[in-house]
Amino acid sequence: MGVLARQLLQKFEYEQSVLKITSITEELIDSNKASSLGMFSMYMAHEINNALHLSQGYTACVIKSNSQDSLIPLLTSIQKMNKGIAKIVSGIKLYSRNAKDDLFERTSVKLIMEETKALCQERFKNNDIAYTTALPDEELFIDCHASEIVQVLLNLINNAVDAVATVSDKWIRAQVKLVGDQVEFSISNCGEAIPPEVAKKWMTPFFTTKRQGKGTGLGLHISKSIIEFHSGNFFFDKDLPTRFGFTLPLKK
């Protein structure tokens, strides 16, 4: 076989290996996303069902009411419930859509945080976790695949929920701030300090400290890949409180 033929063959084999690795990576991302979506969908179904029952109850009261004065608060409650349901459904639609072939879109950071909170609200309530969000006063926008940024935030929040499981006064804090020409997202929690030997392996694929069936060991690795695809940086603070986060450029 001539030199040129060998070079062409090597080039072909290299390209095939790259395509295979890319395909496997995409499958892992989709698998991790589907697993997270299934878990959060369970909580959301419960939350939506509760809201619908309340809305139906208020509607029945309106139908039976003979007093004009009592109608306004009942109708206001129904309207509030319907808005809550719409926000939850919007969050699920945003998270579940496939954005791989989409162009980056200019997206409100506030909207991303609101959609993320809507997907987690029921889990916070069921686990008695105080969740707070700190946003800058100015409205910030970033060029991104919003569904993938929500996926990263959900992965970090999911880990934080597990980290505070044994703490009596549970809290998780989401913060967004402007740092130069970067937007910094972070999720802090009141869990125990992460041992150095564990911290070294956080980004290793399939490494997990969760019991069997609870984690795949892919969440942080995939999250880091998504952020790097967005030209951002993923970080972890070793000092308490435990804080994971990432930075994204204001403009891509």
Side-chain angles (χ1 to χ4, degrees), residues 46-56 81-82 84-85 88:
H46 179 70
E47 181 75 0
I48 291 171
N49 196 43
N50 283 344
L52 286 174
H53 278 306
L54 287 171
S55 184
Q56 288 172 345
M81 289 292 171
N82 289 338
I85 293 172
I88 291 170

Side-chain angles (χ1 to χ4, degrees), residues 129 159-173 187-195 237-243:
I129 296 173
N159 288 341
V161 170
D162 291 336
V164 303
T166 58
V167 180
S168 56
D169 187 17
K170 305 182 181 79
W171 60 263
I172 294 174
R173 184 170 186 258
I187 304 295
S188 307
N189 69 78
C190 61
E192 296 179 358
I194 299 173
D237 285 348
K238 296 179 181 179
D239 298 330
L240 290 175
T242 302
R243 189 172 79 111

Side-chain angles (χ1 to χ4, degrees), residues 4 7 10 36 47 58 61 65 133-134 139 152 158 165 225 239 249:
L4 179 59
Q7 289 176 343
Q10 289 172 351
S36 297
E47 181 75 0
Y58 288 139
C61 291
S65 177
T133 305
E139 182 77 6
V152 172
N158 184 41
S225 298
D239 298 330

Side-chain angles (χ1 to χ4, degrees), residues 90 94 107-116 139-140 150:
S90 175
L94 173 64
T107 308
S108 164
V109 169
K110 182 179 179 182
L111 175 63
I112 289 174
M113 299 306 294
E114 286 178 349
E115 302 292 6
T116 302
E139 182 77 6
L140 298 178
V150 171

Side-chain angles (χ1 to χ4, degrees), residues 21-178:
I21 292 170
T22 302
S23 176
I24 292 172
T25 302
E26 289 177 351
E27 288 177 9
L28 289 174
I29 291 174
D30 289 341
S31 174
N32 183 71
K33 188 172 183 178
S35 175
S36 297
L37 181 61
M39 180 180 62
F40 282 104
S41 293
M42 178 181 67
Y43 291 112
M44 290 307 101
H46 179 70
E47 181 75 0
I48 291 171
N49 196 43
N50 283 344
L52 286 174
H53 278 306
L54 287 171
S55 184
Q56 288 172 345
Y58 288 139
T59 303
C61 291
V62 169
I63 293 171
K64 295 178 180 179
S65 177
N66 294 317
S67 170
Q68 188 69 25
D69 293 337
S70 64
L71 289 179
I72 299 301
L74 288 172
L75 291 172
T76 301
S77 296
I78 292 172
Q79 186 180 50
K80 184 178 179 181
M81 289 292 171
N82 289 338
K83 286 182 178 179
I85 293 172
K87 182 175 287 189
I88 291 170
V89 172
S90 175
I92 293 174
K93 285 171 66 179
L94 173 64
Y95 180 61
S96 61
R97 72 186 303 274
N98 189 339
K100 283 189 294 187
D101 298 325
D102 291 353
L103 296 175
F104 280 15
E105 292 185 355
R106 200 83 177 140
T107 308
S108 164
V109 169
K110 182 179 179 182
L111 175 63
I112 289 174
M113 299 306 294
E114 286 178 349
E115 302 292 6
T116 302
K117 181 180 178 180
L119 287 169
C120 301
Q121 195 65 53
E122 182 63 19
R123 194 174 188 201
F124 294 144
K125 186 167 64 176
N126 288 345
N127 290 278
D128 195 26
I129 296 173
Y131 177 79
T132 57
T133 305
L135 297 172
D137 294 332
E138 60 183 305
E139 182 77 6
L140 298 178
F141 293 84
I142 55 174
D143 297 327
C144 68
H145 288 161
S147 63
E148 292 184 339
I149 302 307
V150 171
Q151 179 184 352
V152 172
L153 289 167
L154 287 177
N155 276 331
L156 297 183
I157 289 173
N158 184 41
N159 288 341
V161 170
D162 291 336
V164 303
T166 58
V167 180
S168 56
D169 187 17
K170 305 182 181 79
W171 60 263
I172 294 174
R173 184 170 186 258
Q175 184 177 27
V176 178
K177 60 183 180 180
L178 185 62

